[in-house]
Amino acid sequence: MSDKPKSQTVLVVGGGIGGISAALEAAECGAEVVLIEKAPTLGGRVAALNRYFPKMCHPTCGLEINYQRIKKNPRIKVFTMAEVSGISGSKGDYTVTVTTTPRHVTPACTACGDCAKVAASEVADPFNYGLAKMKAAYLPHAMAFPMRYVVDPSVVGTPEGQAIKAACKVEAINLDEKPESFALQVGAVIWATGWKPYDPKNLTMYRHGEIADVITNVEMERLASHDGPTKGHILKPSSGEAPKKVALIQCAGSRDLNHLAYCSRICCLASMKHAAYVREQYPEAEVDIYYIDIRAHDKLEAFYQKAKADPGIRWIKSKPSRIEKGASGEPVVCGENTLSREVYANAYDLVVLATGMQASAQPPAGAQLDDYGFVVSEEGVFGAGVATGPLDVSMSVQSATAAALRAVQAVRS
Amino acid sequence: MEKKIGAYLCKGCGIGEALDFKALEGVVTKEFKKPVKSHECLCGEAGLAVIKADMEAGEVTLPVIGACSPRVMTDRFMFPGMTPIRANLREQVIWSHPAGDEDTQMLGEDVLRMFMTQATKVNSPVPYTEGEFSTTILVVGGGFAGLTAAREAVKAGHDVLLVEKKATLGGHAASWSAIVPSKPPYHDPETNPLPKLIEEVKASSAIRLVTGATVTKTSGMPGKFQVELSDGSSHTVGAIVLATGFRPYDATKLSHLGYGASPDVVTNVEMEAKLSAGKVHTHAGAAPKSVAFIQCAGSRDPNHLPYCSSVCCSVSLKQAIQLTKADPDVMVYVIYEEMRTPGVTEEFYRAAQEAGVIFMKGKASKVEGRHGITVTVADELLQQDVPLGPLDMVVLATGMVPNSTDPDAPAQEYGAELLNADINPYPTEGDYKPAASAPPGGSLLNLQYRQGPHLPMLADGFSDSHYICFPYETRRTGIYACGPVRRPMDMGEAHEDAMGAVLKAIQVIRNAAEGMAVHPRAGDLSYPKINLNACTKCRRCTVECPFGAIDEDEKDYPVVNPTRCRRCGTCMGACPVRTISFDNYTVEMLSSMVKAVNIPDEFDEKPRILIIACENDAYPALDMAGIAGHQYSSFVRILPVRCLGSMSALLISDALSVGYDGVVLMGCKPGDDYQCHFVKGSAMAKERLSKISDTLKSMQLEVERVTMVDASIADSARLPKVIDELVAKIDAVGPNPFKGF
Amino acid sequence: MNAISPNPSRAYDLNFARYVYENIDGGERLRMCMQCGACSGSCPIGQQMDHGPRKLFMMIRAGMKEAVLTSNTIWNCVSCYNCVVRCPRKVPITYILHDLANLAVREGFDAAKKADNARFAKAFMWSARKYGRTDERLVTGIYYFSFGLLEGMKRGMGNQKIALNMIKTKRMHLGMPHAIKAKDELQNILAKAQEIQDRHGKGA
């Protein structure tokens, strides 16, 4: 090769399962890797999931192994609360500007928790999708990596902020921290910016936010998680009671030209998992799954057949047209059962909208996107995981491993 | 270099207030006669400087850090030389037990004793780097996935040996007329990339092409595989990518769908051949005016293939679009049960609808007639049986059977043991019946391994990983499957998959040469060493290794292949005579750590229960219990192990013989849907435990004293309760009579 | 132009479907229907329709021309557009139903409908003259009772649910009937229309 890359460093943007995997696979091939993440901790969306289909195992299990791999690998540098604000250059020689958001806590933090003890005010907890509040000085969750607290900017310049600062014995609180920018020289860039849940506010007919017991699939994951707002008990948000009848509505936004034109791939299976959560916690509960087509590809068909064998789960081939508010404020799912032609109006204790996946960031210059906002791989700038399209976890990691090879090829001297 | 141990105790994070540091220091100085320094905040710059100064001065070579969990501050407590020993006084002592309490203090001191003892027993691992390591990658299979793998490996700087059984390259897809789109706008069939790919591979000087040949023998290990081919040549390669693809499901088994009864009932493979030839016509030679595609022909059928073959929907869409493009008047029907076009392929479904293809949801119950075929469809949307026809052609969308065996080679019995049939990751409830055996055929690689010639496969016959987070996990280190042999997939996915497998091949080559393990203990330099003088040739290690890393020599002695090893220690746990050890991990070390704990006599009414905890899941869960402030009995002593598989049954008898009142094993879920990171480590521990009752009886001890608990990393709230219950249960059995002996 | 009749010996003959795709207003997008049922489920009178739009579209594909054109579904659409805004494949369902009704008239599938329509038109014109607009309650009332007292009551009771749904979807209101502001002008227009019709004869 005549054009040797100027930099052999690989930049991975996004510290979810895709970005972590891409960073590790490249670093364990000898590449120098910089991994940057917007949030205060790595882990991304999967850290907020209770379990993975079809094994019903816990996402934190694989994250733990990956964090251990990162901790022991000197070739990976991690920046959290950092975002890319600009890219210039070409394959082998990019200058990337990274901007950081103040954490107000320095690396001297020992995660002792003294700051949280004195913090009084509460802020929205994004890890729990706003279903819970957290202290203004917080550890994002027990599996946070880096294991370091964050002080919310709302207490900067307040007496509370001073109290938080004073509580820290190792003087790790810096309330004067300002956003900073720095430049990185890298040879290849992997965008692993993942996804965001499709905003249920757009699905006006399903009245999320208006009827308390209509929730989304990502919220369901938090309700089912042992470290979630209900400590793993699936309860009706309206009353805190156990649900007896639960509806799971597929394609809430996906496969819909008014919303997401594509199929989000994972929702059917995630809903079967949710049915399993409910049936495990409440053996008497009934679960209805509303669907257009059940998409359980390859061996995941086994997961579908297992769910089908459960007499407590009903399958209704129908895209519900709307949700109405019943006499006691309960959600009533309305539509047509396409197999029986019955026009139904079924009342539930809890309705879960299987909202789809949307590309989460608009990557700046350097990456080519398709019409949906997914990264299409190019020379030197690549996509990995759900940044390239709706994928399940296994396929995301597969995609990230492929992206790692592309990066390794691009920075090869 | 002489090992010099020094202890450093941290008073930060409340440890200083909760524990009596004089007493802790006394443990180090009086019991171990080693230097100790306490600091207000060991992980701060000043604290680290204390350790660094001692190490630079040569006074200490192996620091024992009594502070937080080894899971945190890992990078900060990393110094040149030996990896520090971490005694977890924070998460698992003061955060999960009351401060200033006598029992908490005893726990803290015991933790220090255990890890000071570990420090005295560890040695720096000496990696295996003997001999030459090859960087060549063997790619088996010259279809789309294999050719892609070969080309991409070369782009990353590796030489490739590409072996294809057939005389020509390209596999099934070589002659395909067009492929399912994988590029925006995902709307039209794409040009088959194979002809160009074949040219690129043929033109590459870094690829050595052997066609018309198969692999007759594979021995050795990553970096040093010895491969013999059917053409008589032999080669040394560093890693292997298995891209042997698939065979279409045998349509002769689909007579209920009319195959064989009419020449105009064809498979999707046969239709593809007609499309490539540019002339689709019926047996009678006429252009068909009406064609029906029957989906799931064999797939998702408990009598045929239990799984979904994933690609048949989009392949039928493609062929249907091609038919309507060629003749806008043709009537094309797709009879489906679930239209599976996940992700952006949904757009391709719309493209077929735009083309006027009619989709009928239902099952084809009957296919009749030789010409003018009628398909009876149980139409679920019209709620009636529809006789669809007369049709000029019927296309059966047959599925994929993985070439995880060579269909043309004499069948080799798999055997339950070799397939690891004890591990069945598929549910057996409902209609899903996993394939009873591997796809018929012989071995592809003919591995000369103690554990048999095959690359292990899952119960459905695909050579896939059982891990969601780790799709390239393999039970034969250095051999990575990709393409449809791993999972049913289309060409777009196979392209990505081939790239992923190449990355893993490059990674194993690089790490093997440096004596380092690959995932999950990436970078580990230790490997098992066997003292053959003590070996009884019982073969447990060679049989139980989850990765088939240990073979037997002609005298039946075990032979370790270090670069196949993943360092879980299952062999060490299996060995009944404790003769397998790692430089930094031995049965003796674990036993000494267990024995280092002070056992109060029975009149103190302070039982001691040993928890042997998997360090990947149970141990972090206990850490997180501490972070969340969940309290549990201070009578337990936690011993982390690489995997429960590395736990020797002798460790349990050791613990009981020194007076522990009970032993609890905490490991990942074994069996179906196993979660053990070393495949079957926890399953082996469970098996060993089932045999321990004899030992207990011979010691005249109650079986209730030893328990195994499935623990997941999300059990931080549950485990404290489980611990307290078990402590109460063991306490009720009464004190261990061996106390004080 | 007449719709091509399907080949009666063939189920799922596509000739009729292709005619609909090409000639019916909005028919082009009918190909895109994926039978999810959002339309029939959205319809305020979906329960009263014999097939509902979703199944009707499947019947078009199946070549069931006569069943489609004699279906009450094509006549019962109240143009609330709920189905259209919710259709995930952007099928203009309302247009298609209305134009299928036109087709049914053109092809003579509407004999029963004709007699019925005369009664309805009478009620409609009464409301238009009186208020300058249709008042759904009064129009249906007059229309129903034109069949006689008993039949009128029966029809009224039978359609309570539709009425409720129409109120919900804001296709009908409660309270006094509204009249338009310039009722006189409308009446002049109607008189002029009558005059033109009288002069040129029916069917102008």
Side-chain angles (χ1 to χ4, degrees):
Chain A
M1 271 194 200
S2 53
D3 53 335
K4 290 205 168 163
K6 272 199 177 162
S7 167
Q8 265 117 57
T9 300
V10 175
L11 172 69
V12 180
V13 190
I17 188 71
I20 289 171
S21 302
L24 276 166
E25 298 304 344
E28 288 177 7
C29 269
E32 293 293 327
V33 177
V34 176
L35 173 61
I36 72 164
E37 164 58 44
K38 183 169 69 171
T41 163
L42 299 187
R45 297 279 168 200
V46 298
L49 300 179
N50 178 34
R51 294 168 192 244
Y52 283 144
F53 61 78
K55 278 178 72 179
M56 302 301 276
C57 53
H58 297 276
T60 42
C61 166
L63 285 177
E64 171 72 17
I65 290 212
N66 285 331
Y67 293 166
Q68 294 293 349
R69 287 163 78 188
I70 293 174
K71 286 168 196 172
K72 286 170 186 159
N73 195 323
R75 281 191 289 268
I76 303 182
K77 289 190 180 51
V78 178
F79 293 95
T80 47
M81 303 191 81
E83 284 180 88
V84 168
S85 48
I87 293 185
S88 62
S90 58
K91 179 184 160 186
D93 183 20
Y94 293 102
T95 301
V96 179
T97 314
V98 177
T99 306
T100 60
T101 311
R103 178 189 279 268
H104 299 302
V105 177
T106 72
C109 171
T110 63
C112 71
D114 286 349
C115 55
K117 283 179 196 140
V118 301
S121 59
E122 292 192 319
V123 294
D125 177 0
F127 182 66
N128 282 310
Y129 293 100
L131 293 170
K133 296 243 172 196
M134 60 182 182
K135 294 280 190 66
Y138 62 93
L139 189 64
H141 52 86
M143 271 290 291
F145 176 81
M147 184 62 83
R148 211 199 301 171
Y149 274 69
V150 186
V151 172
D152 193 82
S154 63
V155 297
V156 173
T158 67
E160 186 183 348
Q162 288 308 316
I164 288 169
K165 184 177 162 75
C168 182
K169 294 193 188 75
V170 294
E171 296 178 351
I173 312 282
N174 174 9
L175 297 172
D176 301 325
E177 192 185 350
K178 296 277 179 290
E180 272 173 38
S181 286
F182 58 91
L184 289 172
Q185 303 301 316
V186 300
V189 180
I190 295 175
W191 285 98
T193 36
W195 59 283
K196 60 182 174 194
Y198 186 67
D199 189 352
K201 299 278 171 296
N202 298 336
L203 305 165
T204 49
M205 68 285 194
Y206 290 156
R207 301 170 78 173
H208 180 270
E210 205 183 318
I211 302 175
D213 295 330
V214 176
I215 62 171
T216 65
N217 46 5
V218 289
E219 291 168 345
M220 179 63 157
E221 291 292 337
R222 293 316 301 149
L223 290 186
S225 293
H226 74 101
D227 58 349
T230 53
K231 302 210 179 324
H233 303 289
I234 298 165
L235 302 172
K236 290 164 64 175
S238 64
S239 64
E241 292 167 312
K244 294 189 190 74
K245 246 190 128 199
V246 179
L248 309 174
I249 299 182
Q250 303 313 294
C251 301
S254 302
R255 301 185 67 188
D256 190 332
L257 294 173
N258 304 305
H259 301 281
L260 304 174
Y262 49 84
C263 158
S264 293
R265 190 188 299 265
I266 51 125
C267 325
C268 286
L269 296 145
S271 290
M272 292 175 210
K273 181 178 68 165
H274 293 166
Y277 292 169
V278 172
R279 297 279 297 142
E280 189 184 310
Q281 285 193 17
Y282 309 113
E284 302 300 313
E286 290 169 25
V287 180
D288 290 352
I289 298 182
Y290 293 89
Y291 70 97
I292 305 174
D293 291 288
I294 290 294
R295 294 187 165 168
H297 51 89
D298 58 67
K299 64 190 173 195
L300 295 169
E301 174 71 16
F303 193 56
Y304 174 35
Q305 293 302 335
K306 187 178 174 183
K308 268 181 96 173
D310 182 342
I313 302 174
R314 258 202 325 166
W315 304 81
I316 301 169
K317 183 175 153 46
S318 169
K319 180 180 174 67
S321 62
R322 65 197 186 280
I323 295 176
E324 296 196 344
K325 204 177 212 167
S328 342
E330 79 280 9
V332 179
V333 176
C334 303
E336 183 212 23
N337 182 330
T338 62
L339 301 187
S340 68
R341 243 303 277 158
E342 175 213 358
V343 177
Y344 58 79
N346 299 330
Y348 292 96
D349 298 316
L350 189 65
V351 175
V352 185
L353 305 179
T355 50
M357 299 198 280
Q358 205 171 6
S360 87
Q362 291 294 315
Q368 199 186 323
L369 305 181
D370 69 11
D371 287 349
Y372 308 129
F374 296 123
V375 178
V376 183
S377 288
E378 268 195 307
E379 288 281 285
V381 178
F382 312 106
V386 183
T388 66
L391 301 174
D392 64 19
V393 172
S394 183
M395 291 176 85
S396 285
V397 177
Q398 176 192 332
S399 154
T401 311
L405 179 66
R406 291 190 171 95
V408 165
Q409 289 169 339
V411 300
R412 190 165 77 90
S413 53
Chain B
M1 195 170 63
E2 193 202 341
K3 183 165 71 182
K4 292 181 183 170
I5 298 166
Y8 299 87
L9 305 181
C10 182
K11 291 184 171 177
C13 296
I15 307 174
E17 292 98 74
L19 295 176
D20 173 358
F21 262 60
K22 264 229 158 75
L24 284 180
E25 288 168 355
V27 168
V28 181
T29 54
K30 290 179 197 143
E31 296 176 24
F32 290 87
K33 315 280 184 229
K34 299 290 180 197
V36 62
K37 285 179 183 171
S38 298
H39 194 272
E40 289 307 319
C41 178
L42 214 47
C43 66
E45 290 307 320
L48 292 171
V50 172
I51 306 173
K52 275 182 198 151
D54 288 351
M55 291 185 80
E56 275 161 20
E59 285 164 24
V60 170
T61 59
L62 177 59
V64 175
I65 293 161
C68 43
S69 164
R71 295 173 59 252
V72 292
M73 300 293 172
T74 318
D75 53 340
R76 212 130 353 136
F77 290 126
M78 203 154 358
F79 309 105
M82 288 185 81
T83 310
I85 302 291
R86 307 279 298 273
N88 185 346
L89 296 178
R90 189 175 77 163
E91 284 84 346
Q92 293 184 7
V93 180
I94 65 144
W95 279 0
S96 37
H97 305 283
D101 181 80
E102 178 193 21
D103 289 321
T104 307
Q105 180 66 26
M106 291 173 99
L107 172 62
E109 290 174 19
D110 276 345
V111 167
L112 206 49
R113 284 185 190 103
M114 290 171 84
F115 290 89
M116 282 300 291
T117 303
Q118 183 185 27
T120 63
K121 299 289 177 184
V122 296
N123 294 306
S124 267
V126 180
Y128 171 85
T129 52
E130 288 160 31
E132 294 282 308
F133 289 82
S134 166
T135 60
T136 299
I137 295 173
L138 165 67
V139 176
V140 183
F144 179 67
L147 292 166
T148 304
R151 180 185 65 188
E152 297 301 327
V154 171
K155 274 199 215 164
H158 288 258
D159 287 342
V160 170
L161 172 65
L162 177 60
V163 179
E164 163 58 42
K165 188 168 74 173
K166 295 220 169 69
T168 54
L169 293 176
H172 291 294
S175 62
W176 285 354
S177 54
I179 67 162
V180 171
S182 62
K183 297 177 188 75
Y186 317 108
H187 189 274
D188 301 304
E190 286 172 6
T191 311
N192 187 351
L194 261 163
K196 187 166 166 264
L197 179 60
I198 292 170
E199 288 318 306
E200 277 179 69
V201 166
K202 280 184 176 166
S204 171
S205 57
I207 299 174
R208 181 165 173 188
L209 249 172
V210 185
T211 50
T214 53
V215 178
T216 51
K217 244 184 200 179
T218 304
S219 58
M221 55 182 142
K224 302 175 171 193
F225 284 114
Q226 295 298 321
V227 178
E228 290 178 22
L229 305 183
S230 58
D231 67 356
S233 63
S234 53
H235 311 263
T236 305
V237 298
I240 300 171
V241 171
L242 189 74
T244 44
F246 71 100
R247 62 194 88 159
Y249 185 67
D250 181 2
T252 60
K253 293 179 185 166
L254 302 174
S255 54
H256 65 292
L257 294 178
Y259 193 79
S262 163
D264 291 326
V265 176
V266 299
T267 67
N268 46 5
V269 177
E270 289 160 351
M271 175 52 95
E272 195 59 45
K274 289 174 190 284
L275 286 163
S276 326
K279 237 190 186 167
V280 178
H281 49 68
T282 63
H283 187 66
K289 287 290 170 191
S290 54
V291 182
F293 288 82
I294 299 178
Q295 297 308 111
C296 297
S299 300
R300 304 181 64 221
D301 183 337
N303 300 317
H304 298 277
L305 301 175
Y307 49 85
C308 162
S309 293
S310 294
V311 302
C312 332
C313 281
S314 44
V315 168
S316 291
L317 296 176
K318 180 190 78 87
Q319 295 182 344
I321 290 172
Q322 287 175 300
L323 290 174
T324 55
K325 286 230 165 103
D327 175 6
D329 289 335
V330 67
M331 299 188 204
V332 183
Y333 309 88
V334 175
I335 303 157
Y336 73 101
E337 285 179 83
E338 311 286 347
M339 182 47 57
R340 290 187 172 167
T341 50
V344 293
T345 320
E346 181 73 3
E347 180 57 30
F348 202 43
Y349 177 25
R350 285 192 290 263
Q353 287 186 303
E354 249 171 59
V357 176
I358 299 293
F359 291 85
M360 297 170 70
K361 180 172 161 59
K363 225 184 166 86
S365 57
K366 248 189 281 177
V367 180
E368 293 164 302
R370 191 171 158 82
H371 302 294
I373 305 156
T374 301
V375 179
T376 306
V377 184
D379 191 322
E380 296 180 40
L381 297 166
L382 292 180
Q383 303 159 62
Q384 57 192 9
D385 273 359
V386 176
L388 181 65
L391 295 159
D392 297 335
M393 279 183 99
V394 169
V395 183
L396 305 181
T398 53
M400 287 181 165
V401 174
N403 276 338
S404 47
T405 56
D406 179 350
D408 302 324
Q412 276 154 297
E413 266 308 308
Y414 243 86
E417 172 201 273
L418 300 179
L419 181 62
N420 285 336
D422 53 324
I423 295 149
N424 171 14
Y426 298 105
T428 42
E429 297 138 80
D431 272 349
Y432 195 93
K433 298 280 179 288
S437 61
S443 171
L444 298 161
L445 296 172
N446 288 297
L447 296 175
Q448 306 295 299
Y449 283 25
R450 164 65 177 84
Q451 292 185 13
H454 296 280
L455 179 66
M457 57 191 81
L458 298 183
D460 57 9
F462 288 87
S463 292
D464 198 0
S465 156
H466 179 42
Y467 300 95
I468 291 156
C469 310
F470 307 110
Y472 292 104
E473 176 56 89
T474 171
R475 281 184 268 166
R476 296 292 177 265
T477 313
I479 306 174
Y480 302 96
C482 68
V485 69
R486 188 167 83 76
R487 198 163 50 75
M489 59 176 79
D490 66 19
M491 284 168 74
E493 284 177 59
H495 182 271
E496 294 302 288
D497 203 30
M499 294 200 76
V502 166
L503 187 284
K504 297 306 282 187
I506 293 172
Q507 200 176 62
V508 82
I509 284 171
R510 193 186 163 91
N511 285 283
E514 292 178 37
M516 294 196 292
V518 291
H519 166 88
R521 294 189 60 84
D524 191 345
L525 296 172
S526 70
Y527 66 96
K529 293 175 181 170
I530 305 181
N531 177 4
L532 294 181
N533 293 329
C535 173
T536 61
K537 302 201 270 193
C538 75
R539 303 186 185 193
R540 281 192 205 162
C541 58
T542 62
V543 170
E544 290 188 17
C545 173
F547 305 99
I550 311 177
D551 292 332
E552 285 155 19
D553 68 11
E554 59 285 354
K555 289 180 186 157
D556 292 339
Y557 279 113
V559 182
V560 175
N561 294 278
T563 62
R564 284 189 213 162
C565 170
R566 308 288 275 280
R567 283 75 166 173
C568 60
T570 297
C571 51
M572 182 176 118
C575 182
V577 291
R578 309 184 184 208
T579 187
I580 303 180
S581 58
F582 296 77
D583 288 335
N584 54 4
Y585 192 63
T586 64
V587 178
E588 207 269 313
M589 178 190 102
L590 295 176
S591 182
S592 303
M593 289 170 76
V594 168
K595 292 174 184 166
V597 166
N598 269 0
I599 307 284
D601 68 39
E602 60 183 290
F603 307 108
D604 286 343
E605 296 191 344
K606 289 185 188 300
R608 287 290 176 261
I609 284 127
L610 177 67
I611 295 180
I612 302 175
C614 154
E615 66 179 24
N616 301 300
D617 286 77
Y619 189 90
L622 290 167
D623 263 10
M624 283 184 277
I627 293 170
H630 300 309
Q631 306 276 300
Y632 51 87
S633 169
S634 309
F635 296 148
V636 297
R637 300 294 178 262
I638 299 165
L639 177 73
V641 289
R642 288 184 179 186
C643 171
L644 269 195
S646 70
M647 177 220 63
S648 164
L650 298 168
L651 200 58
I652 298 175
S653 38
D654 281 357
L656 294 171
S657 67
V658 297
Y660 280 90
D661 299 283
V663 179
V664 178
L665 313 185
M666 283 189 181
C668 307
K669 189 181 161 193
D672 289 2
D673 285 341
Y674 63 84
Q675 292 169 14
C676 173
H677 296 286
F678 298 103
V679 183
K680 55 178 184 178
S682 55
M684 297 324 303
K686 196 171 180 180
E687 197 174 313
R688 285 171 210 153
L689 187 66
S690 70
K691 291 173 185 152
I692 206 122
S693 54
D694 289 342
T695 315
L696 293 175
K697 275 178 208 150
S698 73
M699 292 169 83
Q700 295 192 318
L701 288 171
E702 299 78 1
V703 288
E704 292 80 18
R705 291 190 189 276
V706 185
T707 321
M708 185 161 170
V709 174
D710 286 354
S712 87
I713 194 162
D715 277 337
S716 57
R718 179 183 150 250
L719 288 183
K721 288 178 203 148
V722 170
I723 289 173
D724 285 350
E725 282 163 21
L726 286 173
V727 168
K729 204 175 111 191
I730 293 167
D731 200 28
V733 177
N736 178 347
F738 282 90
K739 273 186 208 291
F741 281 92
Chain C
M1 177 171 65
N2 273 7
I4 302 159
S5 284
N7 177 352
S9 69
R10 164 191 287 281
Y12 273 89
D13 181 275
L14 296 191
N15 285 323
F16 179 57
R18 283 173 177 167
Y19 176 87
V20 173
Y21 295 160
E22 280 157 27
N23 297 289
I24 291 295
D25 196 10
E28 178 67 14
R29 280 211 69 83
L30 188 53
R31 301 163 197 258
M32 306 309 292
C33 168
M34 61 170 165
Q35 293 285 303
C36 69
C39 49
S40 299
S42 294
C43 186
I45 53 170
Q47 269 163 316
Q48 278 65 39
M49 288 177 167
D50 48 3
H51 302 302
R54 195 260 323 150
K55 191 174 174 194
L56 193 80
F57 295 165
M58 201 64 213
M59 289 161 64
I60 292 172
R61 291 172 177 178
M64 298 159 78
K65 179 180 170 185
E66 190 171 337
V68 169
L69 296 183
T70 54
S71 161
N72 75 15
T73 300
I74 57 178
W75 295 103
N76 284 354
C77 171
V78 295
S79 299
C80 71
Y81 288 89
N82 274 326
C83 56
V84 177
V85 297
R86 286 180 190 148
C87 175
R89 289 295 180 77
K90 296 199 168 176
V91 178
I93 300 150
T94 329
Y95 299 166
I96 294 172
L97 294 182
H98 290 325
D99 211 21
L100 283 171
N102 287 334
L103 182 66
V105 172
R106 284 207 302 275
E107 304 227 338
F109 285 96
D110 61 336
K113 202 74 205 167
K114 258 183 189 160
D116 206 36
N117 277 6
R119 294 169 191 269
F120 186 79
K122 213 169 151 186
F124 177 86
M125 284 311 291
W126 173 84
S127 177
R129 287 208 173 89
K130 192 159 170 63
Y131 302 109
R133 64 191 309 162
T134 54
D135 183 286
E136 282 80 1
R137 294 161 304 167
L138 297 175
V139 170
T140 43
I142 292 171
Y143 164 62
Y144 286 167
F145 286 101
S146 75
F147 292 94
L149 183 69
L150 219 64
E151 178 65 17
M153 283 169 72
K154 208 172 124 193
R155 288 196 181 210
M157 297 300 285
N159 288 302
Q160 266 181 332
K161 207 163 177 183
I162 300 182
L164 216 68
N165 282 334
M166 285 181 70
I167 292 166
K168 265 189 211 157
T169 50
K170 299 206 166 65
R171 305 306 296 174
M172 198 157 100
H173 77 285
L174 297 170
M176 291 296 286
H178 300 297
I180 59 167
K181 277 181 192 159
K183 207 165 68 182
D184 298 351
E185 281 173 44
L186 182 77
Q187 272 162 0
N188 288 339
I189 294 170
L190 288 173
K192 186 76 181 166
Q194 186 70 48
E195 190 192 310
I196 294 170
Q197 189 176 317
D198 291 347
R199 201 182 318 142
H200 295 280
K202 282 189 177 177

